[in-house]
Amino acid sequence: AAADGLGSIAIDTTQLNMSVTDPTAWATAMNNLGMVPVGLAGQQLVTDSICVPGFDPSLSMMTGITPINPMIPGMGLVPPPPPTDVPVVKEIIHCKSCTLFPPNPNLPPPSTRERPPGCKTVFVGGLPENATEEIIQEVFEQCGDITAIRKSKKNFCHIRFAEEFMVDKAIYLSGYRMRLGSSTDKKDSGRLHVDFAQARDDFYEWECKQRMLAREERHRRKMEEDRLRPPSPPAIMHYSEHEAALLAEKLKDDSKFSEAITVLLTWIERGEVNRRSANQFYSMVQSANSHVRRLMNEKAAHEQEMEQAKESFKNALTGILTQFEQIVAVFNASTRQKAWDHFSKAQRKNIDIWRKHSEELRNAHSEQLMGIRREEEMEMSDDDSGDNPSKKLRVDDSALAAQAYAIKEENDSLRWQLDAYRNEVELLKQEKGQLFRTEESLTKDQQLQFLQQTMQGMQQQLLSIQEELNNKKSELEQAKEEQTHTQAMLKVLQEQLKSAKELAEINGHDESQANEINVLTVALVNQDREKNSEKRSPGLKSEKEALLIGIISTFLHVHPFGANIEYLWSYMQQLDSRISANEIEMLLMRLPRMFKQEFTGVGATLEKRWKFCAFEGIKTI
């Protein structure tokens, strides 16, 4: 064969027959090579299970199973390697044209270079000068199918096998002395040196195999991603009258509503609504709106199920807490002297540990149950406060009404906190009656005393808040009475004015007398208002209020058209950040002779403004 004709060499695949001169030595050598020993003439040297015709290299690519390397110990093809401290004994190998003598077992094994990836080619050096390709093929064909032999003019060659595992069998022959026939000539003998060789074809095939494995891995990952990817939404059909009629029927069906509403939304976003199809779209939107009541009913049903589940959980938790109480009672009874003296030291220790653990669990469940009850009480309080909107006071008395309502809310919250503290006190009393007088009971007594003191303080706070609420209510009633009295006085004065006008017309008085009567009536009304305002306003309470009145008067004087309470509060907050809008409004309401309230605008632009009117009172006087 030519030097570069690795791919064009044809190998005779006929089986090799030979006569065995030393069956025992031949069997030992074949066993060391990992081959089936030959016992009779005409037998095959290497079985099909090891050679290429019976081995499928694409098995790993199609099934994901790693190919079996017949040189791996423990796989059944090669005997397990001997211990490292025992030298490997190699036997003589007899071939048809030559004989291979093993190396000295006491010498170190021959060295080899690092194995290249995908190596199928070996370097064979130390060949006899008279060795031919047929003899080389006869020796190394026992390791597997040979695809190419490239022999040099010197005493070495390169052999390429069909599979990678055949290279390991060829490496086994490294160190053997080869003798052609029975000749003792120096040219007919040589010591073989077999090593890994680096070939471009091997590396190219290895790269192709790696790329194929990478493609298979990418394909496998893509298939896995496609399998896990959520399905794409169905395509939305284009609008037509026929499709719109079908969609209207689907919108009426509860089971197909989700799909139909998606199509309707897509059509509207596409701009399918025009003057011609507006009525049809309106009917579909109306059908969609009809499902609101159904959804609310479903929500109410789910909320009812949730409430039932909460109730069952609370009942189960109560039962568990009762059983924990019974277990703790058993432990407490066991710790009494009547039964405690009969237990051993180890038993007492275990009972004490169990008792502490049970008490911790009991306390944790008790806190959880109390938290559930507090949440229910808070929900009930929210419902109660939302069911009584009719108790709001009129707009004229909004300041006092808002303050009274806030005090009532605070009163209710304090009452609920007081009930919660009472429940905790009752639980602590029960625990106190059940537990033995130990260090834990002393700490609980201290907690009980602290809670009692807290409860007394809250009761005092509750009484003071109730008194304040009663005072506010009395002030509110007094204000209402004064308002009714003023209205009655106004009616009386109007009647007097009307009778005076009639009398003046009868007697023939001039117009100046009627004007004097009107001025007198207005003066009486203003005097009555001043008296009522003096009764209602108790006067300034502190120097801070006087300072606020001066600043507000100056601010409103430079704003002749008035200012709303938010604008006034934003200006005052720059001077005093702690002041509130409600406090400013209460102060303005207490001084009606200095500040008056007017409504400006119409409809949505209606606005309530405060004006400075003290100078108007001086002008009238």
Side-chain angles (χ1 to χ4, degrees):
D4 296 331
L6 288 176
S8 62
I9 297 177
I11 304 299
D12 188 7
T13 58
T14 59
Q15 296 180 353
L16 180 65
N17 298 330
M18 59 174 292
S19 59
V20 181
T21 56
D22 190 358
T24 305
W26 179 253
T28 305
M30 292 297 101
N31 191 21
N32 291 334
L33 285 172
M35 306 176 184
V36 178
V38 179
L40 297 174
Q43 274 187 321
Q44 187 177 352
L45 288 177
V46 183
T47 60
D48 288 340
S49 62
I50 299 177
C51 296
V52 176
F55 178 76
D56 188 4
S58 64
L59 185 63
S60 64
M61 304 175 189
M62 294 185 295
T63 62
I65 303 174
T66 307
I68 300 174
N69 189 348
M71 297 303 293
I72 297 177
M75 297 303 295
L77 304 178
V78 180
T84 55
D85 53 350
V86 179
V88 179
V89 178
K90 299 182 179 181
E91 301 293 337
I92 301 174
I93 301 175
H94 296 275
C95 297
K96 185 177 180 180
S97 303
C98 62
T99 306
L100 301 177
F101 297 94
N104 187 357
N106 296 324
L107 294 177
S111 60
T112 57
R113 62 179 294 180
E114 184 180 357
R115 182 168 186 160
C119 179
K120 296 182 182 179
T121 306
V122 295
F123 167 81
V124 182
L127 292 171
E129 293 184 6
N130 296 330
T132 61
E133 287 188 9
E134 288 77 8
I135 296 173
I136 296 171
Q137 183 172 356
E138 178 186 351
V139 173
F140 286 94
E141 197 175 25
Q142 303 172 25
C143 303
D145 285 352
I146 298 174
T147 58
I149 298 177
R150 188 172 62 188
K151 188 176 182 301
S152 176
K153 295 180 181 180
K154 297 185 179 180
N155 301 333
F156 69 90
C157 69
H158 289 86
I159 303 174
R160 190 165 189 257
F161 292 96
E163 297 297 332
E164 294 183 21
F165 68 90
M166 300 174 183
V167 174
D168 299 321
K169 296 181 180 181
I171 294 295
Y172 180 80
L173 299 177
S174 181
Y176 272 79
R177 179 173 293 279
M178 184 177 180
R179 189 177 68 184
L180 304 178
S182 58
S183 174
T184 58
D185 191 2
K186 187 176 181 181
K187 294 183 179 182
D188 294 335
S189 64
R191 185 176 296 279
L192 299 179
H193 174 68
V194 185
D195 198 355
F196 302 108
Q198 189 170 3
R200 288 193 298 266
D201 295 340
D202 295 345
F203 187 71
Y204 176 73
E205 289 183 3
W206 179 79
E207 283 186 336
C208 292
K209 185 178 180 181
Q210 296 299 318
R211 285 195 292 269
M212 183 185 65
L213 293 175
R215 286 194 299 271
E216 290 179 357
E217 179 66 18
R218 288 195 299 271
H219 179 69
R220 185 188 65 79
R221 290 182 180 178
K222 186 176 181 300
M223 294 294 290
E224 187 70 16
E225 290 176 358
D226 293 341
R227 187 178 66 83
L228 298 176
R229 185 183 296 117
S232 301
I236 305 298
M237 73 289 293
H238 291 282
Y239 171 77
S240 64
E241 293 184 357
H242 176 68
E243 294 292 342
L246 295 177
L247 184 64
E249 295 297 329
K250 289 183 179 180
L251 285 171
K252 297 176 182 178
D253 190 359
D254 295 345
S255 59
K256 300 178 181 179
F257 175 73
S258 300
E259 179 184 356
I261 197 69
T262 305
V263 178
L264 177 61
L265 177 62
T266 306
W267 283 355
I268 294 174
E269 289 178 349
R270 284 178 182 174
E272 301 289 351
V273 183
N274 51 32
R275 186 173 297 176
R276 182 179 179 183
S277 61
N279 294 330
Q280 202 164 9
F281 272 98
Y282 177 76
S283 63
M284 288 188 287
V285 172
Q286 190 175 8
S287 300
N289 183 52
S290 64
H291 288 269
V292 173
R293 183 176 297 176
R294 175 182 64 83
L295 295 175
M296 293 303 295
N297 293 334
E298 290 180 0
K299 179 186 176 185
H302 289 305
E303 287 179 350
Q304 187 176 3
E305 292 178 0
M306 185 177 67
E307 293 296 332
Q308 292 176 358
K310 283 183 178 179
E311 188 66 25
S312 60
F313 173 70
K314 187 176 72 172
N315 295 334
L317 193 61
T318 306
I320 292 171
L321 186 60
T322 304
Q323 295 179 13
F324 269 119
E325 293 287 351
Q326 293 173 355
I327 293 172
V328 172
V330 169
F331 285 128
N332 291 331
S334 300
T335 54
R336 291 172 185 165
Q337 191 171 5
K338 187 185 295 183
W340 189 254
D341 294 339
H342 299 286
F343 293 118
S344 63
K345 188 174 181 180
Q347 291 173 346
R348 292 178 184 176
K349 184 177 180 181
N350 290 334
I351 290 173
D352 195 16
I353 293 172
W354 296 338
R355 179 179 61 81
K356 291 180 180 179
H357 184 61
S358 299
E359 287 176 354
E360 290 176 359
L361 293 175
R362 190 269 313 275
N363 294 333
H365 283 77
S366 177
E367 290 178 0
Q368 188 175 3
L369 185 60
M370 289 299 298
I372 294 173
R373 290 177 179 172
R374 290 194 196 96
E375 290 178 359
E376 291 179 352
E377 290 175 356
M378 293 295 290
E379 290 177 359
M380 291 175 62
S381 66
D382 293 340
D383 296 339
D384 294 340
S385 62
D387 292 339
N388 297 324
S390 61
K391 291 185 179 180
K392 296 181 179 179
L393 298 176
R394 292 166 56 183
V395 180
D396 297 336
D397 307 320
S398 59
L400 293 174
Q403 192 172 2
Y405 189 72
I407 292 172
K408 184 179 178 182
E409 288 288 331
E410 188 176 2
N411 187 11
D412 293 338
S413 64
L414 289 173
R415 187 185 297 113
W416 293 322
Q417 292 180 9
L418 185 61
D419 293 338
Y421 280 121
R422 283 177 180 170
N423 293 333
E424 292 182 2
V425 168
E426 289 177 359
L427 289 175
L428 290 173
K429 285 181 179 179
Q430 292 176 3
E431 292 177 359
K432 180 183 177 183
Q434 291 176 358
L435 295 177
F436 189 69
R437 299 291 295 179
T438 57
E439 294 180 356
E440 295 179 358
S441 65
L442 293 176
T443 56
K444 289 182 178 179
D445 289 340
Q446 294 177 359
Q447 292 178 0
L448 182 61
Q449 292 177 0
F450 176 72
L451 289 174
Q452 288 177 351
Q453 293 175 1
T454 306
M455 186 173 64
Q456 291 175 359
M458 293 184 68
Q459 286 178 349
Q460 294 176 358
Q461 187 178 0
L462 181 61
L463 291 174
S464 62
I465 290 173
Q466 286 179 350
E467 291 178 358
E468 188 176 355
L469 178 61
N470 294 329
N471 295 331
K472 295 296 179 182
K473 285 182 178 179
S474 62
E475 290 179 3
L476 183 61
E477 292 176 356
Q478 187 178 0
K480 288 181 178 179
E481 291 177 358
E482 291 176 357
Q483 186 177 3
T484 55
H485 179 67
T486 304
Q487 290 178 356
M489 290 290 294
L490 184 61
K491 288 181 180 179
V492 171
L493 291 173
Q494 287 177 355
E495 291 176 357
Q496 291 178 359
L497 179 62
K498 189 180 297 182
S499 61
K501 285 183 179 180
E502 292 176 356
L503 184 61
E505 291 175 358
I506 293 170
N507 295 331
H509 292 288
D510 56 356
E511 190 177 354
S512 61
Q513 291 180 354
N515 292 333
E516 289 178 0
I517 293 171
N518 291 336
V519 171
L520 179 62
T521 305
V522 172
L524 289 173
V525 172
N526 291 332
Q527 186 177 2
D528 194 7
R529 285 184 181 177
E530 290 173 4
K531 289 180 180 178
N532 292 333
S533 61
E534 288 175 0
K535 291 179 182 179
R536 189 180 302 175
S537 60
L540 301 180
K541 296 181 180 179
S542 62
E543 185 180 353
K544 179 182 177 182
E545 290 186 355
L547 182 61
L548 289 174
I549 290 170
I551 296 172
I552 293 171
S553 301
T554 307
F555 181 82
L556 293 177
H557 184 62
V558 298
H559 290 78
F561 296 104
N564 56 15
I565 194 67
E566 288 80 8
Y567 183 27
L568 186 59
W569 173 67
S570 62
Y571 176 75
M572 296 297 296
Q573 200 177 22
Q574 296 178 359
L575 303 176
D576 187 2
S577 60
R578 294 176 297 178
I579 194 167
S580 62
N582 191 16
E583 186 179 353
I584 296 173
E585 190 171 8
M586 291 290 292
L587 185 61
L588 295 176
M589 290 175 65
R590 284 167 49 192
L591 300 171
R593 296 182 59 185
M594 293 183 66
F595 307 102
K596 66 179 180 179
Q597 193 176 20
E598 292 183 355
F599 290 92
T600 60
V602 179
T605 61
L606 187 64
E607 187 178 10
K608 185 168 63 174
R609 293 188 177 185
W610 286 92
K611 289 186 176 182
F612 181 69
C613 62
F615 293 157
E616 294 178 3
I618 295 173
K619 290 177 182 178
T620 56
I621 293 171

